[in-house]
């Protein structure tokens, strides 16, 4: 059985709470065990939590869930770009799949709510990577 770590951003919680439910359901449907869920203040804070989970022997993959809604500045673009890069770095440095289930940038709250199901895609992608990647040994 594949064991998954889940990181969920608290910012925009009415949306990310639904995303978390979708992610947990996707893991259950796939027969995966969720080792634990780490709630972080916002998407930008996710890489450290993903790294901590990826360090654990018991965790086979990590899915990161969150949403970044556009504002009056380019802040949403900066946050998502930095987070995506840092999560890719964690995945490579820990040799553990880390998937990006973060919606945004450039989205309104309504558009973000329409993409709640993307959380399941992050879980499915993490589980697929565990299955498909060759054993490094």
């Amino acid at each position: 059985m594949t064991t998954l770590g889940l990181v969920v951003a608290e910012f925009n919680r009415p949306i990310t709470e639904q995303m978390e439910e979708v992610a947990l359901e996707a893991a259950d449907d796939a027969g995966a065990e969720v080792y634990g869920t780490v709630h972080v203040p916002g998407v930008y804070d996710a890489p450290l939590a993903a790294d901590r989970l990826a360090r654990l022997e018991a965790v086979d993959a990590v899915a990161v869930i969150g949403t970044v809604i556009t504002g009056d500045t380019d802040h949403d673009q900066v946050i998502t770009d930095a987070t995506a890069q840092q999560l890719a770095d964690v995945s490579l440095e820990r040799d553990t799949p880390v998937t990006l289930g973060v919606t945004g940038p450039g989205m309104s709250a309504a558009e973000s709510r329409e993409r709640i199901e993307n959380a399941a895609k992050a879980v499915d992608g993490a589980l697929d990577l565990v299955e498909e990647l060759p054993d490094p040994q």
Side-chain angles (χ1 to χ4, degrees):
M1 174 182 288
T2 301
T3 303
L4 183 71
L6 189 61
V7 178
V8 180
E10 292 285 316
F11 203 80
N12 297 312
R13 188 66 181 151
I15 297 168
T16 64
E17 181 175 49
Q18 293 176 53
M19 294 177 84
E20 181 178 358
E21 290 172 14
V22 166
L24 292 170
E25 185 176 308
D28 187 55
D29 289 349
E33 176 186 347
V34 176
Y35 174 87
T37 301
V38 177
H39 293 96
V40 295
V43 167
Y44 186 80
D45 308 300
L48 179 59
D51 185 66
R52 293 282 175 94
L53 286 168
R55 290 181 192 198
L56 300 173
E57 184 78 25
V59 173
D60 299 310
V62 179
V64 177
I65 309 300
T67 190
V68 180
I69 296 172
T70 194
D72 295 332
T73 67
D74 291 336
H75 184 74
D76 58 322
Q77 185 73 48
V78 171
I79 293 297
T80 53
D81 287 352
T83 301
Q85 182 60 59
Q86 291 295 316
L87 291 174
D89 291 346
V90 169
S91 186
L92 292 170
E93 289 169 10
R94 300 291 172 210
D95 194 32
T96 300
V98 177
T99 56
L100 182 65
V102 174
T103 58
M107 294 172 124
S108 67
E111 291 169 321
S112 184
R113 279 190 288 281
E114 292 172 3
R115 290 169 178 82
I116 287 170
E117 294 297 322
N118 282 2
K121 293 177 184 177
V123 169
D124 293 342
L127 298 175
D128 287 348
L129 278 167
V130 169
E131 194 172 305
E132 294 295 324
L133 289 172
D135 187 355
Q137 300 172 15

